């Protein structure tokens, strides 16, 4: 998962080496509208922990 500067705005992208897809805008992720969790541990991934691509 990455933060991306896109042509139509900034967004969170899921990249699992098979497919890349836009998940939500950075504003939605920053506000807490969308939450992200680690699959193995179930720990919430904080907005600041997501790297830029």
């Amino acid at each position: 998962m990455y933060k991306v500067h896109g042509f139509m705005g900034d967004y969170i992208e899921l990249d699992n080496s098979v497919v890349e897809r836009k998940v939500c805008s950075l504003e939605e992720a920053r506000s807490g509208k969308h939450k992200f969790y680690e699959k193995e541990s179930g720990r919430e991934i904080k907005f600041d922990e997501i790297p830029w691509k």
Side-chain angles (χ1 to χ4, degrees), residues 17-41:
S17 73
V18 175
V19 67
E20 294 177 357
R21 73 177 180 96
K22 180 179 176 181
V23 177
C24 66
S25 71
L26 284 187
E27 292 80 26
E28 291 173 334
R30 188 177 291 120
S31 72
K33 183 175 180 179
H34 290 271
K35 302 228 182 233
F36 306 101
Y37 299 91
E38 289 182 343
K39 184 177 181 177
E40 295 80 22
S41 68

Side-chain angles (χ1 to χ4, degrees), residues 1-2 13-22 53:
M1 186 170 341
Y2 298 97
E13 176 184 84
L14 177 62
D15 181 1
N16 65 2
S17 73
V18 175
V19 67
E20 294 177 357
R21 73 177 180 96
K22 180 179 176 181
K53 187 172 188 181

